Amino acid sequence: FLGGLRTALPEIFSDPPRGPRPRAQAADQALGLIAARVEFWARRMGASHGRVSVRDQKTLWGSCSAKGDLSFNRRLALAPAEILDYVVIHELCHLKELNHSRRFWARVALWCPEHKARRRWLREFGAALKRGRIAHAVPAEACAGPSRGWG
C-alpha cells in the first residue's frame, strides 16, 4: 500500500530539502555579530576570553564561565547596539570579577557609564526581545542617557 502511495504521490514521501535551515542561519548571523562585538570590546578592555557561543537561552542574556568562555542569548542580535554592547561589556568584566560585587559594577561603569539605563531597557523590553518581537524597533533613545561614542 505505502509503496503504491510513494509512487503515486512522491512529493509526500520525498526527503526534506537539504541546505541551511533558517534558524541555523539566524544563529550563525547572531554569532558573527556578537563575536565581532566581543572582539572589539575585548581588545579595547585588554581582556582575554575563551570560546564565544550563542544559545537560545530562556532566562539569561549572557554568562561567563570560570574558564573564561562567554555565552550570549541569540536574541541580543536583535537588540539596539547599545544594549548588545552593554551585555558584552558586562560579561567581559566577569573575566576579572566573577561576581556582582561593588568592584564588578565599578568596572562595568568604567566601560559603560550608562549601564543602569541599559539594564532598565532590558527589564522593560527584554521579554518582548526574547519572544522575537523587537527588531531594532525600540530606538536607542529609549536606552536613556547620552551616547558617549564608545561603540
Side-chain angles (χ1 to χ4, degrees), residues 7-79:
T7 304
L9 302 167
E11 65 277 1
I12 292 176
F13 292 95
S14 65
D15 290 333
R18 303 252 185 235
R21 298 181 320 254
R23 188 175 177 129
Q25 278 182 320
D28 288 346
Q29 290 172 343
L31 177 59
L33 172 66
I34 293 169
R37 297 315 292 164
V38 168
E39 293 312 314
F40 172 85
W41 283 107
R43 278 193 310 275
R44 196 159 188 186
M45 296 168 71
S48 179
H49 60 84
R51 293 181 37 202
V52 175
S53 62
V54 173
R55 296 189 174 105
D56 193 11
Q57 299 161 316
K58 301 294 180 205
T59 58
L60 298 175
W61 290 112
S63 63
C64 176
S65 75
K67 294 188 326 185
D69 294 337
L70 305 174
S71 179
F72 296 92
N73 189 309
R74 69 181 179 91
R75 298 290 185 182
L76 284 170
L78 303 174

Side-chain angles (χ1 to χ4, degrees), residues 44-126:
R44 196 159 188 186
M45 296 168 71
S48 179
H49 60 84
R51 293 181 37 202
V52 175
S53 62
V54 173
R55 296 189 174 105
D56 193 11
Q57 299 161 316
K58 301 294 180 205
T59 58
L60 298 175
W61 290 112
S63 63
C64 176
S65 75
K67 294 188 326 185
D69 294 337
L70 305 174
S71 179
F72 296 92
N73 189 309
R74 69 181 179 91
R75 298 290 185 182
L76 284 170
L78 303 174
E82 293 87 349
I83 302 304
L84 171 57
D85 281 352
Y86 159 67
V87 176
V88 167
I89 290 166
H90 181 110
E91 297 309 327
L92 287 170
C93 287
H94 277 309
L95 295 169
K96 297 285 187 189
E97 297 285 338
L98 202 52
N99 55 51
H100 286 106
S101 66
R102 286 184 182 177
R103 284 192 317 207
F104 167 80
W105 287 112
R107 189 178 297 277
V108 172
L110 177 67
W111 294 103
C112 182
E114 298 87 4
H115 69 93
K116 290 180 182 178
R118 308 299 186 242
R119 288 183 72 202
R120 273 194 306 274
W121 189 97
L122 282 170
R123 279 194 300 273
E124 187 172 346
F125 299 106

